[in-house]
Amino acid sequence: MTERAAGRFITLEGGEGAGKSTQIARLRAWLERRAHRVITTREPGGSPGAEMIRKLLVEGPVERWDGTTEALLHFAARREHLRSTVWPALERGDWVVSDRFADSTLAYQGYGHGIEPAILEQLYKVAVGDFQPDLTIILDLPIETGLKRAAERRGAETRYENLPLEFHARVREGFLEIAKRAPKRCVVIDATGDVEAITRRIADVVTDRLGA
Ligand SMILES: Nc1ncnc2c1ncn2[C@@H]1O[C@H](COP(=O)(O)OP(=O)(O)O)[C@@H](O)[C@H]1O
Ligand SMILES: [Mg+2]
């Protein structure tokens, strides 16, 4: 039997309005032109059960949950997403591109809300085990720019956007710190440029790191 090509797991991270959704659609098209089978997905959510948990997290008043409850909900949704969507796709040899993953929990609940990183690491072990993304792209831009972009596409999912600027500043610093600590897995990309230039940069990084 010939061995099946291994799927790859790529995650896109960054603050509100950084361009994750925009770039994921473009990265998908670029990968498909290279004959990869691709699924795009998102967190929180990405499977029917996890989407139900997403609604609890992204809608409603800011003070609805404390940081610990939020972290538990995110990891519950993440495990369900992995079991139902991500792991089966990788088994089939598909490439999976996710709009946010565990680095968002560390950035938002850890750096943003002050939950101990050691606690989040323990939750990661319980919910995810040793599994990790093959590549994480962090889209970085000034928080005011991101929030302004996000406000222009405003819908019901504003619970995180409504947190104060200081919170978003900690999230941005958190993502940069995460990248510094895991340079083999993470690449930071300046997300202030035009959409097409950022897509090219992401494609270059995917080629470099994963040989797409
Ligand atoms: N490079 C860019 N320059 C200007 N506007 C952008 C850029 N990338 C995305 N946008 C716009 O900013 C808004 C937020 O982008 P989106 O991809 O939804 O961000 P995210 O998913 O990270 O929150 C959208 O209206 C999108 O069209
Ligand atoms: Mg988005």
Side-chain angles (χ1 to χ4, degrees), residues 132-205:
Q132 275 198 16
D134 295 296
L135 173 66
T136 296
I137 289 165
I138 295 172
L139 296 177
D140 179 61
L141 84 174
I143 54 175
E144 291 84 359
T145 316
L147 289 169
K148 206 181 287 166
R149 283 187 195 170
E152 281 160 21
R153 52 111 224 256
R154 194 166 278 270
E157 297 189 339
T158 56
R159 188 167 163 266
Y160 281 114
E161 279 169 45
N162 290 340
L163 283 155
L165 279 183
E166 306 85 73
F167 177 87
H168 293 285
R170 289 196 296 276
V171 168
R172 183 186 187 193
E173 286 313 307
F175 277 126
L176 296 176
E177 191 63 36
I178 289 166
K180 222 188 278 172
R181 288 180 187 195
K184 277 201 169 129
R185 174 173 65 83
C186 300
V187 178
V188 177
I189 289 182
D190 177 352
T192 55
D194 68 84
V195 170
E196 179 57 35
I198 296 164
T199 305
R200 276 202 306 277
R201 176 83 186 99
I202 291 173
D204 286 348
V205 166

Side-chain angles (χ1 to χ4, degrees), residues 37-53:
R37 278 201 316 266
V38 184
I39 69 158
T40 53
T41 186
R42 68 170 182 182
E43 287 208 350
S47 73
E51 287 289 331
M52 289 164 81
I53 301 173

Side-chain angles (χ1 to χ4, degrees), residues 20-22 99 153:
K20 298 178 296 298
S21 304
T22 305
D99 187 333
R153 52 111 224 256

Side-chain angles (χ1 to χ4, degrees), residues 25-182:
R26 300 169 69 91
L27 174 58
R28 178 192 186 135
W30 183 86
L31 285 168
E32 283 174 346
R33 285 201 297 278
R34 271 149 196 77
H36 296 297
R37 278 201 316 266
V38 184
I39 69 158
T40 53
T41 186
R42 68 170 182 182
E43 287 208 350
S47 73
E51 287 289 331
M52 289 164 81
I53 301 173
R54 177 189 179 93
K55 269 185 89 67
L56 298 173
L57 282 162
V58 299
E59 295 180 10
V62 163
E63 66 283 1
R64 189 176 194 184
W65 317 111
D66 73 356
T68 304
T69 306
E70 258 178 28
L72 289 165
L73 286 168
H74 276 288
F75 274 109
R78 179 158 304 130
R79 178 166 182 78
E80 161 53 22
H81 177 220
L82 288 168
R83 271 173 23 94
S84 296
T85 304
V86 177
W87 288 336
L90 293 173
E91 287 275 305
R92 294 193 300 268
D94 294 359
W95 286 50
V96 179
V97 187
S98 185
D99 187 333
R100 297 192 181 281
F101 190 62
D103 296 314
S104 280
T105 312
L106 189 51
Y108 283 71
Q109 280 68 43
Y111 289 91
H113 281 314
I115 303 293
E116 285 288 328
I119 290 176
L120 297 175
E121 268 165 42
Q122 285 176 330
L123 294 179
Y124 189 103
K125 279 273 176 242
V126 171
V128 184
D130 291 329
F131 176 78
Q132 275 198 16
D134 295 296
L135 173 66
T136 296
I137 289 165
I138 295 172
L139 296 177
D140 179 61
L141 84 174
I143 54 175
E144 291 84 359
T145 316
L147 289 169
K148 206 181 287 166
R149 283 187 195 170
E152 281 160 21
R153 52 111 224 256
R154 194 166 278 270
E157 297 189 339
T158 56
R159 188 167 163 266
Y160 281 114
E161 279 169 45
N162 290 340
L163 283 155
L165 279 183
E166 306 85 73
F167 177 87
H168 293 285
R170 289 196 296 276
V171 168
R172 183 186 187 193
E173 286 313 307
F175 277 126
L176 296 176
E177 191 63 36
I178 289 166
K180 222 188 278 172
R181 288 180 187 195

